[in-house]
Amino acid sequence: MEGFLQALKSYQSYNPSGWVGIYRMLPMWVGVVVALVGLVLLLAGGGKLFRVVAGPVGAVLGLVWTSAVTLRLSLGELDPRLPTLVAAALMALGFLFPPAITFVGVGVPLGLLAGQIAGPGDFLLGFGPGFIVGGLVGAFLHRQVSGIVASAVGAWLLVIGALAALHQLGGVVEAVASRPWGVIIAALLFALAGSIYQLAVRPSPEESEQQKAEKQRLKQRLAEQQALEKRWGVK
């Protein structure tokens, strides 16, 4: 377990080999499960299942961006526990109210960009409006953003899970993993395909509800018709 946690730290920096190499820490059966979970998220993670993704994504946002925001805002020395506390809060918020994570996920980078454009002296004047406007856009486009994020997470889980599940092949998997950018590009292609499917092909939650309601109405009309025919002896 400790080795796996150490491997996860590679995601805190630019380390493509470490990102891909985490598959070596997963047993074959775990790889199969991870790949199946990734496939589900890739195809349907942008709907109600996004709640499962929003929690971990919120935790990652808290760990990655807390230091960046506090540093730009010149809030002094950072308490080492603050990123962990923010990550825990965002994880809980993601599970309870997923649109909040799209608000933060889009708002923070746009706020940082606006603050950078405003300059060090006026960083807060740029960050505040950028964060709010970006967050509102993210929340308004929650379905689109959640579909893209779920596809990206699902694609990566699918690729890493497949490598772990096929680890018994030895040389073939090692040869693939030795080219981390090839693995990353494959995951990006899967993510692109999943995003297109979820946004352009798969019905939205509203459309799914309408389809369910229409099927229920058709079923009810058919039952009423059958009951009427039975009542009047129609064969």
Side-chain angles (χ1 to χ4, degrees), residues 68-69 72-73 111-116 118-128:
V69 173
R72 297 294 193 285
L73 293 177
L112 291 173
L113 178 61
Q116 190 71 24
D122 297 319
F123 179 84
L124 183 59
L125 294 177
F127 175 81

Side-chain angles (χ1 to χ4, degrees), residues 65-130:
W65 282 339
T66 299
S67 301
V69 173
T70 55
L71 179 64
R72 297 294 193 285
L73 293 177
S74 302
L75 297 180
E77 187 176 352
L78 178 66
D79 188 331
R81 298 170 297 179
L82 184 59
T84 303
L85 294 175
V86 174
L90 288 178
M91 175 180 282
L93 188 60
F95 286 134
L96 294 173
F97 187 60
I101 300 305
T102 57
F103 183 97
V104 175
V106 178
V108 170
L110 290 183
L112 291 173
L113 178 61
Q116 190 71 24
I117 294 174
D122 297 319
F123 179 84
L124 183 59
L125 294 177
F127 175 81

Side-chain angles (χ1 to χ4, degrees), residues 4 25 72 82 88 101 110 137 142 177 225:
F4 181 73
M25 302 294 174
R72 297 294 193 285
L82 184 59
I101 300 305
L110 290 183
V137 170
H142 172 69
Q225 182 180 353

Side-chain angles (χ1 to χ4, degrees), residues 7-165:
L8 282 177
K9 291 184 178 179
S10 64
Y11 287 89
Q12 296 179 352
S13 60
Y14 179 77
N15 184 8
S17 297
W19 301 342
V20 175
I22 196 172
Y23 81 90
R24 299 185 181 91
M25 302 294 174
L26 303 176
M28 183 176 69
W29 68 270
V30 174
V32 173
V33 173
V34 169
L36 290 175
V37 171
L39 183 61
V40 171
L41 294 179
L42 186 65
L43 298 177
K48 295 180 180 179
L49 283 177
F50 185 69
R51 189 179 300 272
V52 179
V53 181
V57 169
V60 171
L61 295 182
L63 291 173
V64 173
W65 282 339
T66 299
S67 301
V69 173
T70 55
L71 179 64
R72 297 294 193 285
L73 293 177
S74 302
L75 297 180
E77 187 176 352
L78 178 66
D79 188 331
R81 298 170 297 179
L82 184 59
T84 303
L85 294 175
V86 174
L90 288 178
M91 175 180 282
L93 188 60
F95 286 134
L96 294 173
F97 187 60
I101 300 305
T102 57
F103 183 97
V104 175
V106 178
V108 170
L110 290 183
L112 291 173
L113 178 61
Q116 190 71 24
I117 294 174
D122 297 319
F123 179 84
L124 183 59
L125 294 177
F127 175 81
F131 172 70
I132 294 173
V133 173
L136 290 175
V137 170
F140 180 75
L141 298 176
H142 172 69
R143 177 177 177 264
Q144 289 78 5
V145 174
S146 64
I148 294 171
V149 172
S151 295
V153 174
W156 189 248
L157 291 179
L158 176 61
V159 169
I160 294 300
L163 289 175

